[in-house]
Amino acid sequence: MENLSRRNILSLGAALGLVGVAHPAQAWASTGSVTGATAGTGPEWVWDDAADPLMVSMLENGHVPAINTAWAPWVNNNDPLPSGLPAAFSAYLKQVNRLPGWADRTKLARAADFNRRRDMYLFMLYGLGSGIMSTVIPREAKSVYWSAGGANMQDRAAKTFTFGYDLSQLGAFEPTGQFVVTANKTRVVHAAVRHLLPQSPHWRAVADETVPISAADILVTFHSLGTYVHRKLLEWKVPFPAADQEAFLHSWQVALHLLGVPDEHIPQTWAAAEAQSAQVLTPILTPSTEGIALAEELLGLTAQIDLGVTRGFLNEFVRNVLSNEVGDWLGLKRDYVSAALVRTAWPAYILFREGLSPVMPGSFYMFDQFVRALGMLFLNKGSSGTTTPITIPTGNRAA
């Protein structure tokens, strides 16, 4: 489909609360990074020098099935590295399976506590905001659709959700948490997909890049998740002290490092993140055949939980948190009764939950049950509340 016009970019930027939309090439400035380091090569030309050649070797030598079996019980951060791995793969994990030296454990602990206190909103925003936004990020939608995971979207959604879920858990970065392991597994999966996806004629026919999942692509995904959620929580007037905001950003900074993004490209402040997001995310949002199909699958999965919540409500909630323009791109049918409910009852729900209003909206329990069910739906297809297995693919989607 055609790219957005300049006018539509500005319109969508306003709808998503962004200002100063600029050309993406201006985004990768050498200032404002997490370490204050000067950026060299732009992240659109950076992949993963450590994991990529390793996974080429693992795939071409047929080691991946054995790795998937060996690392299945490797879940908690303090679990010993799996035995039975190829020597090169084990050596790689020993190098990367740690926090960066600049990680602040006090901030990470505060971020985990914040995530626990705000998990209801995070489930909704990550699931129905960021999750659907990903379907109008063309590179991400096409890569997801034509990779092996695209053939089973409930499983793919579970594995994506577990990344945010593990990041949001109390003690996520502590020895008994799971996020460091989750991030390391995800980084390896990215490296495998970088090798596999260019072999897909279907992906090559629609892609505008020769190798997927660059550091720039990962940063774009971060802005559709962390930066977007930060902005929406402020917009919803959820109490969000400066210390909590700083801690929330720090957890994402560490997450990006663990995924292999060079530190010099990781935003240092929310102001830097917003500036980068306005330049690299908003201008590229547009529908694609693959993205429309993925959005329909994702919303269809969410509709399974029912609880009296109609598909019309889901469509209108997506329109509310993303914009009518995105809803129109994805062909989300209008339900004006649900639109009125979302517009009036959701703000009232937030006020009551935060103790800012003594009036409990009549829809309180419907919202409360729905948000909890949404979270569980994606935890290993609703069957596990502890972890979702992450496996390395060995091929692509057939068709």
Side-chain angles (χ1 to χ4, degrees):
M1 296 194 179
E2 294 183 0
N3 290 331
L4 289 170
S5 67
R6 174 69 176 176
R7 179 180 178 182
N8 283 343
I9 289 172
L10 293 172
S11 171
L12 183 61
L16 293 179
L18 299 176
V19 295
V21 177
H23 191 277
Q26 301 173 20
W28 313 117
S30 61
T31 59
S33 67
V34 65
T35 60
T38 300
T41 302
E44 65 271 37
W45 302 110
V46 173
W47 287 269
D48 194 327
D49 290 342
D52 289 349
L54 172 73
M55 290 315 300
V56 171
S57 173
M58 295 298 107
L59 285 161
E60 291 186 346
N61 288 289
H63 294 310
V64 168
I67 293 173
N68 284 331
T69 298
W71 81 358
W74 182 47
V75 174
N76 293 328
N77 297 336
N78 63 353
D79 286 346
L81 291 180
S83 59
L85 295 172
F89 194 86
S90 183
Y92 163 80
L93 290 182
K94 288 178 181 177
Q95 291 179 341
V96 301
N97 192 42
R98 62 173 67 93
L99 297 179
W102 47 264
D104 185 325
R105 289 190 178 274
T106 300
K107 289 181 181 179
L108 292 176
R110 185 175 186 119
D113 182 62
F114 165 77
N115 290 330
R116 176 188 59 80
R117 289 182 279 115
R118 298 289 180 259
D119 60 357
M120 303 290 278
Y121 311 126
L122 296 179
F123 281 152
M124 292 295 274
L125 286 171
Y126 284 144
L128 292 180
S130 303
I132 302 303
M133 190 193 300
S134 71
T135 69
V136 292
I137 300 174
R139 286 185 173 182
E140 184 167 348
K142 292 171 183 178
S143 293
V144 167
Y145 187 89
W146 290 114
S147 65
N152 185 343
M153 277 309 296
Q154 184 153 350
D155 181 66
R156 174 62 167 73
K159 290 171 181 175
T160 299
F161 189 90
T162 199
F163 187 88
Y165 183 82
D166 289 351
L167 176 60
S168 300
Q169 287 302 287
L170 195 63
F173 295 91
E174 296 299 317
T176 54
Q178 298 181 356
F179 184 74
V180 177
V181 171
T182 294
N184 275 304
K185 288 185 175 183
T186 302
R187 181 176 177 179
V188 166
V189 170
H190 285 170
V193 171
R194 289 190 194 100
H195 179 60
L196 293 168
L197 206 49
Q199 301 173 34
S200 164
H202 306 291
W203 179 79
R204 291 199 309 271
V206 298
D208 66 348
E209 55 186 346
T210 56
V211 180
I213 321 179
S214 68
D217 292 334
I218 295 173
L219 284 164
V220 166
T221 299
F222 155 64
H223 291 307
S224 74
L225 291 160
T227 307
Y228 165 76
V229 167
H230 173 259
R231 185 186 316 121
K232 294 301 289 188
L233 291 177
L234 292 175
E235 179 185 312
W236 286 351
K237 295 181 171 56
V238 174
F240 204 176
D244 282 353
Q245 294 184 48
E246 185 177 355
F248 183 62
L249 175 60
H250 190 65
S251 68
W252 273 105
Q253 291 168 334
V254 175
L256 289 168
H257 171 92
L258 291 173
L259 288 176
V261 175
D263 291 349
E264 61 264 28
H265 294 300
I266 301 174
Q268 187 177 41
T269 64
W270 280 120
E274 285 288 357
Q276 194 178 85
S277 178
Q279 293 169 334
V280 304
L281 174 60
T282 309
I284 67 171
L285 296 177
T286 195
S288 64
T289 300
E290 291 83 0
I292 291 170
L294 291 176
E296 185 61 31
E297 288 190 58
L298 288 170
L299 288 170
L301 291 173
T302 307
Q304 293 177 18
I305 64 177
D306 192 14
L307 296 176
V309 176
T310 66
R311 174 59 191 270
F313 170 84
L314 295 175
N315 289 353
E316 293 299 335
F317 195 91
V318 170
R319 286 177 173 272
N320 183 270
V321 297
L322 290 182
S323 76
N324 281 325
E325 188 164 17
V326 171
D328 290 344
W329 288 346
L330 298 174
L332 304 184
K333 294 181 180 179
R334 297 306 308 258
D335 181 332
Y336 292 102
V337 173
S338 292
L341 175 67
V342 173
R343 187 171 60 252
T344 59
W346 181 251
Y349 169 80
I350 293 174
L351 288 173
F352 182 76
R353 283 200 87 243
E354 296 303 320
L356 301 175
S357 169
V359 180
M360 183 176 74
S363 57
F364 178 84
Y365 288 111
M366 182 272 286
F367 276 123
D368 224 45
Q369 292 176 40
F370 173 68
V371 175
R372 294 183 188 280
L374 178 69
M376 288 307 300
L377 172 70
F378 294 116
L379 291 176
N380 201 18
K381 305 180 183 179
S383 65
S384 170
T386 56
T387 189
T388 298
I390 296 176
T391 54
I392 304 168
T394 56
N396 300 306
R397 181 175 184 149

